[in-house]
Amino acid sequence: MQWLICFQAVYEKLSFKLAADQLQLPSSNVSRHVVLLEQQLRVRLLERTTRKIIPTAAGKQLYQSITPLTRALDHALEEVSLFGDSLSGHLKIITPDLPFMADILADFCIRHPQIQLSCDTQLDPTEGLLDGFDLVLRFGRGPLEDSSWVAREILRWPSCVVAAPELLKRYPLPRSPDELANIPCITSMSVLQGTPWRFKQNQTVRVHSSYKVNSGQMARAAALKGLGFAILPLHACESEIDNGSLIKINCNREPEDLVLYALYSGRKYLPVKVKAFLEHLQLSIADLEVRSKEGI
């Protein structure tokens, strides 16, 4: 079994060193296990050069055959671990740097001290970067792009278009989403790369922007300064709307809600550590929402 595990790791990393780091074994041991497997099968699985490793046709076939088996074994072992005192293993997450997320992550690790956590804070990780992570939290508006990952909705924020009174003195009040296309707007560098803006009833508008940011706070500050129209979560600008420093714009269409999604691999067996964290995340957010409504 160790031979197959080492081969699988080298195949995925295309590096004996990276595979050894992942398995927490000496590189010499990993190399020896792969050699012994090749000798046992009497076939070359990996072509080695001084620069790179290339799987052979036999190596590709073996990897495709053993991967469902090793994943099922991982799942079985993780299920059994539930009968112990706590979860264990390495949990790797990408998440936006949200104020409430820090406490949620820390509380999960306190509850499960055998968990090793690696957390990278990013707003819009590229598809290739997702490999190697167990869970990715990211924002979206409207339908998500097709992906091999499963998306679970975690939190939803209704949104609105806002502008400063000073800006409305220089530009006409937009009566429809289409009229936003010809006036300055503040856009995002992450969600949909800022454009098109998505409205409900499947309407999109390609807006013009010379001010792009990847922070809701920065977008709100720019809107308050009159740098452009902005789409903001309603809860993030309610006080400014109430005191008149921002005007809520009625375009006869509401923007699509801002949604925080949890993305995870679409494989048949969801790792127990991921399942446990998702449950912890949703319960924690539900508790925060209750406390917010009660003014606690």
Side-chain angles (χ1 to χ4, degrees):
M1 187 65 187
Q2 188 69 41
W3 296 354
L4 292 174
I5 291 172
C6 288
F7 162 74
Q8 183 181 37
V10 175
Y11 184 100
E12 291 175 346
K13 298 294 184 181
L14 294 179
S15 164
F16 281 96
K17 183 180 184 307
L18 293 178
D21 290 343
Q22 176 181 305
L23 299 172
Q24 298 183 349
L25 292 172
S27 295
S28 57
N29 286 19
V30 174
S31 178
R32 187 174 73 255
H33 288 320
V34 173
V35 168
L36 289 172
L37 178 61
E38 289 178 324
Q39 290 175 351
Q40 178 70 25
L41 298 175
R42 297 181 182 179
V43 66
R44 193 76 161 172
L45 300 172
L46 301 166
E47 293 293 349
R48 293 86 145 170
T49 71
T50 55
R51 287 186 157 185
K52 58 184 178 180
I53 293 173
I54 302 173
T56 65
K60 291 178 182 177
Q61 179 61 48
L62 178 62
Y63 177 79
Q64 290 170 0
S65 299
I66 67 172
T67 297
L69 301 175
T70 55
R71 285 179 176 171
L73 178 60
D74 288 342
H75 177 72
L77 293 173
E78 288 181 334
E79 288 285 358
V80 170
S81 73
L82 287 177
F83 292 95
D85 294 334
S86 64
L87 295 177
S88 63
H90 193 177
L91 181 63
K92 291 168 282 186
I93 296 175
I94 295 179
T95 177
D97 191 8
L98 298 167
F100 57 80
M101 193 59 67
D103 285 336
I104 289 175
L105 287 166
D107 288 342
F108 182 74
C109 290
I110 289 171
R111 182 173 298 179
H112 303 290
Q114 309 266 341
I115 286 286
Q116 303 171 53
L117 177 73
S118 295
C119 181
D120 189 356
T121 52
Q122 295 191 40
L123 275 178
D124 191 40
T126 59
E127 188 71 24
L129 184 61
L130 304 185
D131 295 336
F133 283 89
D134 299 301
L135 190 68
V136 176
L137 300 173
R138 69 191 304 179
F139 292 115
R141 286 191 191 273
L144 292 176
E145 296 178 0
D146 289 337
S147 171
S148 60
W149 286 59
V150 176
R152 180 187 296 188
E153 182 178 319
I154 299 298
L155 198 53
R156 177 178 291 265
W157 292 278
S159 301
C160 59
V161 179
V162 295
E166 293 77 11
L167 185 69
L168 295 175
K169 295 176 183 177
R170 304 195 303 271
Y171 294 93
L173 188 69
R175 301 293 181 183
S176 70
D178 289 334
E179 293 181 18
L180 290 164
N182 299 315
I183 53 181
C185 293
I186 299 161
T187 59
S188 166
M189 294 178 66
S190 53
V191 181
L192 303 176
Q193 287 69 55
T195 189
W197 278 7
R198 286 183 172 174
F199 291 81
K200 293 182 178 178
Q201 299 180 15
N202 201 30
Q203 183 169 359
T204 60
V205 179
R206 292 204 167 271
V207 297
H208 169 73
S209 175
S210 58
Y211 198 91
K212 299 180 175 69
V213 294
N214 64 353
S215 157
Q217 292 185 356
M218 294 176 73
R220 182 178 60 185
L224 286 165
K225 297 287 186 181
L227 287 173
F229 292 78
I231 292 181
L232 297 175
L234 187 57
H235 78 276
C237 58
E238 276 184 315
S239 60
E240 289 80 4
I241 293 173
D242 289 343
N243 65 30
S245 54
L246 285 175
I247 306 298
K248 183 178 177 182
I249 309 300
N250 181 9
C251 298
N252 293 321
R253 287 280 192 282
E254 291 182 4
E256 286 280 10
D257 298 341
L258 180 65
V259 182
L260 180 66
Y261 291 99
L263 305 179
Y264 51 89
S265 173
R267 62 193 182 191
K268 182 177 180 181
Y269 299 110
L270 181 63
V272 175
K273 61 188 176 185
V274 177
K275 187 187 302 183
F277 179 75
L278 283 172
E279 292 173 358
H280 169 77
L281 175 62
Q282 292 189 299
L283 287 173
S284 299
I285 287 177
D287 183 59
L288 287 173
E289 289 180 324
V290 169
R291 288 172 174 269
S292 177
K293 289 177 182 177
E294 294 177 349
I296 298 177

